[in-house]
Each structure stands twice: as C-alpha cells, then as structure tokens.
C-alpha cells in the first residue's frame, strides 16, 4: 500500500523533472494516441529514452506500456528494483545469454500474452557511434511473428542524446520531441532481414521528417 | 509587502482584464461565425493566442502584486525556458557540456541573485565580463577546437539574449527615482504593456492594411503598414500611461516610441536567427505563440536600454 503510494509519487516527480529538462513533446505523426496493444520501438542513445516514451503516452496507454530493460543493471540495487518494478512496470531481460536464466523472448512474449504493450530498443545497446541508428537485433522480428495482432510503432526520440551524452552526469536542459510514426505490419512470408531493414528505415525516416514550414 | 502595492497597479490590471475580456468575446464571435467546426486556422490560432495571453497576464499580475522575490523568480523561470530553447539550436559539441551546465545551473541563478540583491555593480557586468571570459576557458579545457569560435559565440549570444537582457526587466526594481518610491513595479508594467501592445497592434494593423512587406527575407508577416500603425499606436498608448509612471506625457510617449522600435528590432533579429536555423517557432510551450523567445524577443531588446535610459535620466543610483 505504502509502496504503491510512493511509486505513484515517484512517477509524478520523474515526470516533472523530465518535463522541466526536456519539455518532452509527443508528435503523433503516424497514429492517434488511442488504446491498443503495441510494441513501441525506438532509437536508443540515452539512459532516459524509455522515460520519454513512457511520459509522453497518455495515462491510459502509459499504464499498459512496459519498458524492456536489462536485468543486470536494474536488479543491482534496491532503489533501481523499486523504480523498474513499481514505478515503470518494466520487463527485465538478461542481456547476456544465461543458460539458467529466463529466455528474453519468453519474458517479452509473456507480457504481450498478458495484453501489455512493450517499449523496446531493437539496437540492443545504447548507440554511441556517429551513425544515427545501429543495426536492429532480431528479437523484434520474432515478437512480430508470434504476435501478428500487435501494432509495431516506430518512435523517434529527438535530441535526448545531447541532454546527457555518454559519460556526462549533469543533464543539459534542451527541447526534446518524441515522434510516433505509422504502425508496421509483418508482411506474409517477409524474411527476417527484409523486415528488420524495413523497420529500421521506418524509424530513421521519422528523424528528419518533423521540420515545420517557416513563415514568421 | 502587501502594503506596498501601488494603486496604479490595480487600475492597470483591471484595464488589462477588460481588454482581454473584449479580446475573448471577439475571438468567440469570430469562431462562431467563421470556424464553427474549429477548422479555420487563423481564427483557431487567434483564440489560442488569447488563451495564452490570459495565462501570461495572470502570472505577471500575480508576480507584480507579489513583490520583488516573485518578479525575480518569474523572470528567472522565463530566462531558463528561453535559454533551453536557444541552446537547443546551437551547434554545441560534447566538449561544451560543462560550459552549458555552468550556463544553466550557475550563471543564470547567480545573475538573478544579483538582480534580487539589487546589486547593480554585479548584475550589469557579471555575464559580459566574468561569464564571457570563463565559459570559453571551460570549453577549451576539453581540447576540442572543432568549430570553436562558432561554438563559444553561440553560447555567449544565448546568455546575452536569454539571461542578461531578460534580467533587466526585474532589474528595474532596483532604480531609485525620487518621488516614485515603492512603485517601481509600474515601470515593469509600463515596459511590458507597451512592448506587447506594440507587437499585437503591429499584427492587427498588418492584418487590416498590410500589403508591403518590410523584411520579406526575414519575416514575411511583418509589413510597413503594420510597423507604422503599431509603433504609432503604441507610442500614443505609452503617452496615455504617463499617469502611472514618473514621466510626463511627452517623456512617456518618447520612451514608448523607443521601446516599440527596439521591440521591432528584437523581433527582426530573432526572426533572422530562426531563418538561419530553419525553424518557424522557438518552441511549443506557449500555445498559439510558439516558444518563450517568440514572446520575449521584443522585450529582450527593449529592457536593457529602457533600464539604462531611465537610470541615467531619472534614477539617483
């Protein structure tokens, strides 16, 4: 009871701080923010990426959207466990294959079977290269195969990598946008490579597609 | 502090409330006539702007009634928001990270602390002397010279515009004008009302009569007719506000003319920066207007000069 209460309070505080630093604006470019089961897949350049998606979703979507996160990091302390389980309702997966541990795909499939949505970073690790987007891992393809009813929504997180570049501790306040693109559907007999490339291209297409007309 | 609220402030706030009420009624009528389905962009934008005006007027009104601390906090927050928009556009690299952290979390609060203390000797030179010399050193220490001159210049301009200039609005409270003690918030009200009405009236005159663009490459919506009509009406209104200032009618009108011209210049300069960076608005937080800088651009240019002119001719410190 008290734990739940503290979790709601923490969630509000996280949203307030994140809003002060980034103003986190959602841009609904390819879909309306209506209820529905989805896999939101996004570029991964900063630790705060999933927070921005989580907070820009409207409350009723946010309640069922669970970020997929690395178990090794989030199980390492009591505070992190509280944040990932109670505040963000995350789905923890083993990033290094562990014969005794749970298979990451089983864990994610279980969440989808339960009707939840996922927030996923198909690049696997944070992108510290000069490329805007690394190659995708195949997990998203297998999830799409197993759950054809779930919409795959590309989400481009803009500018957050400049707020807190790798190795820095103090965040710089900068305007960030979270751009939600048009959902993808796995085509009949589409190969893994073709689908992963298509998904990656659909995400990359959002990165430069939000410039406004200038007239003032 | 309650006892020090000058009577003129209540009169002015009532007038602003009346003006916004009229604007809301007109906006509502235009909506019923031209945009019943909410599909006329000009009318919808006008109504958004009016709603945002209400919020801004209420916040500023509360701050002015609340006294020095409230005014300083409000403008510190406006500076923070404007800086966040400006720094989002600069070409800073990771080697500037510490310089930027200092800008947000040290330079800005310290500048507003000096303003709050009414420490003229420091708030007037802290940024142009100390910050401008220290920040390039912090950036240079990372050993990255790629685009160095552009990087440090952009950060300096961001500080100049968003912090130094904006902080001269609350700095008006530090002036000591004989016979005007305890009423300095009215100088802030005078500046803000004239500069914002000048913006609005330039927009209105431009929409009614405008046909000759004044700076087509920078800002297609600004016209010669809007400029002349807006500046002339703002000058008259400024003269009409002389009763709440230490100025005579002619002095108030001359200062209002200066404020309106500088405000126009500020809008032009900020438009040029937006064009350079290929954006339409500085941000999205003020519905219908864009970002904080979109609303502050004219204040930014007029505040420091209004401050120094009044200080030179009227103040005893």
């Amino acid at each position: 009871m008290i734990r739940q209460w503290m979790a709601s309070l923490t969630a509000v505080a996280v949203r307030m701080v994140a809003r002060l630093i980034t103003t986190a604006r959602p841009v609904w470019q390819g879909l309306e923010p209506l209820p529905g089961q989805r896999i939101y897949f996004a570029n991964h350049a900063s630790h705060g990426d999933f927070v921005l998606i989580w907070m820009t979703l409207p409350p009723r979507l946010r309640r069922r959207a669970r970020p997929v996160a690395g178990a090794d990091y989030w199980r390492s302390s009591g505070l992190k466990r509280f944040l990932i389980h109670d505040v963000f309702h995350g789905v923890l997966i083993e990033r290094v294959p562990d014969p005794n541990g749970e298979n990451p795909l089983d864990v994610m499939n279980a969440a989808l079977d339960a009707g939840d949505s996922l927030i996923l970073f198909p690049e696997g690790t944070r992108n510290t290269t000069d490329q805007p987007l690394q190659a995708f891992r195949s997990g998203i393809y297998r999830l799409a195969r197993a759950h054809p009813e779930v919409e795959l929504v590309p989400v481009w997180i803009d500018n957050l990598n400049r707020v807190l570049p790798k190795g820095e501790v103090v965040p710089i306040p900068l305007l960030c946008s979270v751009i939600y693109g048009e959902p993808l559907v796995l085509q009949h007999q589409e190969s893994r490579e073709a689908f992963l490339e298509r998904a990656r291209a659909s995400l990359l297409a959002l990165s430069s597609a939000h410039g406004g007309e200038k007239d003032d | 502090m309650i006892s020090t609220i000058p009577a003129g402030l209540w009169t002015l706030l009532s007038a602003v409330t009346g003006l916004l009420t009229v604007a809301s009624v007109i906006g509502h009528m235009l909506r019923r006539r031209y945009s019943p389905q909410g599909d006329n962009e000009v009318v919808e934008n006008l109504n958004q702007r009016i709603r945002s005006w209400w919020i801004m007027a209420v916040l500023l009104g509360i701050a002015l009634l609340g006294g020095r601390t409230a005014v300083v906090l409000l403008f510190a927050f406006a500076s923070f928001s404007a800086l966040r928009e400006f720094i989002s556009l600069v070409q800073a690299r990771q080697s500037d990270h510490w310089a930027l952290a200092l800008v947000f979390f040290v330079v800005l609060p310290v500048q507003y602390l000096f303003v709050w203390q009414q420490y003229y000797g420091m708030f007037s030179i802290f940024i142009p002397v100390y910050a401008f010399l220290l920040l390039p050193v912090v950036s240079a220490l990372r050993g990255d010279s790629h685009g160095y001159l552009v990087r440090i210049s952009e950060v300096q301009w961001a500080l100049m515009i968003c912090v130094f200039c904006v902080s001269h609005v609350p700095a008006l409270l530090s002036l000591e004008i004989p016979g005007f003690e305890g009423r300095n918030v009215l100088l802030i009200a005078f500046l803000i009302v004239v500069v914002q009405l000048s913006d609005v009236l330039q927009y209105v005159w431009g929409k009614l009569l405008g046909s000759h663009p004044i700076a087509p490459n920078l800002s297609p919506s600004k016209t010669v007719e809007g400029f002349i009509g807006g500046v002339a009406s703002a000058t008259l209104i400024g003269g009409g506000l002389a009763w709440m200032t230490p100025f005579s009618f002619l002095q108030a009108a001359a200062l209002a003319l200066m404020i309106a011209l500088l405000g126009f210049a500020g809008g032009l300069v900020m438009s040029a920066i937006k064009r350079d960076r290929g954006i339409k608005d500085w941000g999205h937080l003020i519905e219908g207007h864009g970002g904080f800088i979109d609303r502050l651009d004219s204040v930014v240019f007029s505040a420091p000069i209004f401050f120094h002119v009044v200080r030179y001719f009227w103040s005893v410190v």
Side-chain angles (χ1 to χ4, degrees):
Chain A
M1 174 66 187
I2 289 179
R3 204 177 163 87
Q4 209 175 7
W5 193 70
M6 275 179 53
S8 317
L9 211 65
T10 312
V12 172
V14 167
R15 282 205 295 280
M16 276 174 61
V17 171
R19 181 149 295 145
L20 193 67
I21 292 172
T22 70
T23 73
R25 172 175 68 141
V27 180
W28 300 96
Q29 195 166 292
L31 86 160
E32 294 294 315
L34 300 172
Q37 196 182 8
R38 304 198 179 92
I39 295 172
Y40 303 95
F41 66 97
N43 55 317
H44 196 15
S46 161
H47 283 304
D49 283 334
F50 77 87
V51 177
L52 249 65
I53 297 184
W54 171 80
M55 68 183 282
T56 51
L57 289 171
R60 57 184 175 163
L61 295 187
R62 189 190 307 143
R63 272 194 287 277
R64 310 255 12 206
R66 304 179 60 188
V68 176
D72 48 311
Y73 177 80
W74 287 99
R75 286 208 183 107
S76 61
S77 80
L79 176 66
K80 287 177 185 163
R81 281 194 295 273
F82 169 74
L83 286 173
I84 200 68
H85 289 303
D86 297 80
V87 178
F88 299 118
H89 309 293
V91 176
L92 292 187
I93 58 170
E94 302 292 343
R95 281 187 287 196
V96 187
D98 174 3
N100 304 318
E102 284 176 299
N103 180 331
L105 271 176
D106 293 344
V107 184
M108 291 189 276
N109 272 321
L112 290 173
D113 288 336
D116 291 330
S117 294
L118 294 180
I119 297 172
L120 193 66
F121 301 100
E123 292 170 276
T125 54
R126 270 189 306 145
N127 181 3
T128 53
T129 67
D130 289 337
Q131 303 295 318
L133 201 56
Q134 305 173 96
F136 278 12
R137 302 227 188 145
S138 62
I140 186 170
Y141 167 75
R142 294 197 239 170
L143 291 173
R145 280 273 301 266
H147 293 273
E149 76 285 3
V150 177
E151 287 184 320
L152 295 152
V153 179
V155 185
W156 183 263
I157 301 169
D158 196 38
N159 233 1
L160 194 61
N161 54 330
R162 290 178 59 212
V163 169
L164 198 58
K166 189 180 168 65
E168 305 291 348
V169 280
V170 184
I172 302 295
L174 293 173
L175 306 182
C176 299
S177 312
V178 182
I179 303 153
Y180 293 85
E182 199 177 327
L184 300 186
V185 180
L186 180 64
Q187 311 269 296
H188 185 57
Q189 294 203 325
E190 190 173 23
S191 75
R192 191 179 74 176
E193 289 74 23
F195 173 76
L196 291 179
E197 193 40 51
R198 193 159 65 91
R200 187 172 170 277
S202 74
L203 181 51
L204 207 49
L206 299 174
S207 68
S208 52
H210 55 283
E213 292 286 301
K214 29 183 180 172
D215 63 16
D216 187 23
Chain B
M1 291 298 281
I2 299 294
S3 60
T4 62
I5 294 171
L9 187 56
W10 288 113
T11 318
L12 183 75
L13 291 178
S14 315
V16 170
T17 307
L19 197 63
L20 283 175
T21 307
V22 171
S24 290
V25 170
I26 292 175
H28 185 71
M29 277 167 21
L30 285 174
R31 181 173 202 171
R32 275 180 53 173
R33 177 95 190 258
Y34 296 107
S35 183
Q37 260 74 52
D39 47 7
N40 184 322
E41 264 184 49
V42 178
V43 174
E44 292 308 307
N45 179 266
L46 182 73
N47 280 306
Q48 282 180 345
R49 279 176 186 249
I50 294 169
R51 269 200 299 280
S52 298
W53 273 123
W54 273 108
I55 298 171
M56 290 187 279
V58 167
L59 285 178
L60 187 65
I62 291 173
L64 292 179
L65 292 171
R68 178 169 50 141
T69 305
V71 171
V72 170
L73 283 176
L74 179 71
F75 282 92
F77 174 74
S79 271
F80 176 86
S81 305
L83 195 59
R84 190 173 52 188
E85 291 167 0
F86 205 111
I87 296 292
S88 296
L89 282 190
V90 305
Q91 298 159 23
R93 292 157 65 84
Q94 192 174 347
S95 19
D96 301 309
H97 199 83
W98 276 105
L100 294 179
L102 283 175
V103 162
F104 275 100
F105 302 119
V106 178
V107 177
L108 188 153
V110 168
Q111 170 72 5
Y112 276 92
L113 181 67
F114 288 142
V115 169
W116 182 79
Q117 292 176 321
Q118 312 197 327
Y119 188 175
Y120 173 77
M122 278 313 282
F123 74 64
S124 57
I125 63 156
F126 173 64
I127 286 176
V129 176
Y130 294 94
F132 281 10
L133 293 177
L134 174 72
L135 292 170
V137 178
V138 174
S139 282
L141 283 175
R142 289 275 189 108
D144 172 14
S145 66
H146 188 273
Y148 180 71
L149 183 56
V150 173
R151 279 159 40 209
I152 59 169
S153 312
E154 285 179 337
V155 173
Q156 293 194 335
W157 236 71
L159 260 184
M160 181 74 191
I161 292 299
C162 304
V163 184
F164 184 76
C165 288
V166 174
S167 72
H168 278 70
V169 179
L172 287 166
L173 297 179
S174 68
L175 297 175
E176 283 179 29
I177 301 168
F180 197 66
E181 290 82 2
R183 285 188 284 164
N184 278 13
V185 285
L186 290 172
L187 291 176
I188 295 180
F190 177 77
L191 169 70
I192 302 277
V193 166
V194 168
V195 86
Q196 298 296 352
L197 275 180
S198 165
D199 274 6
V200 171
L201 290 165
Q202 283 179 42
Y203 170 88
V204 171
W205 282 109
K207 281 266 181 275
L208 291 178
L209 302 175
S211 55
H212 301 87
I214 197 166
N217 293 327
L218 298 182
S219 183
S221 59
K222 289 189 170 68
T223 62
V224 177
E225 293 81 356
F227 169 70
I228 295 174
V231 170
S233 7
T235 304
L236 284 178
I237 292 170
L241 290 174
W243 56 269
M244 60 177 233
T245 68
F247 321 127
S248 70
F249 175 84
L250 279 181
Q251 288 169 339
L255 285 166
L257 175 64
M258 181 192 82
I259 290 170
L261 290 175
L262 286 165
F264 175 80
L268 209 58
V269 169
M270 293 297 134
S271 283
I273 296 178
K274 286 194 286 188
R275 285 256 128 167
D276 176 33
R277 292 296 144 94
I279 54 162
K280 180 179 174 294
D281 290 322
W282 285 94
H284 51 84
L285 284 186
I286 308 183
E287 211 191 349
H289 298 254
F292 279 77
I293 301 181
D294 291 295
R295 205 56 281 137
L296 282 173
D297 53 9
S298 39
V299 178
V300 157
F301 270 55
S302 47
I305 298 187
F306 179 64
F307 173 88
H308 284 289
V309 168
V310 175
R311 182 171 182 276
Y312 185 83
F313 288 105
W314 280 274
S315 177
V316 292
V317 283

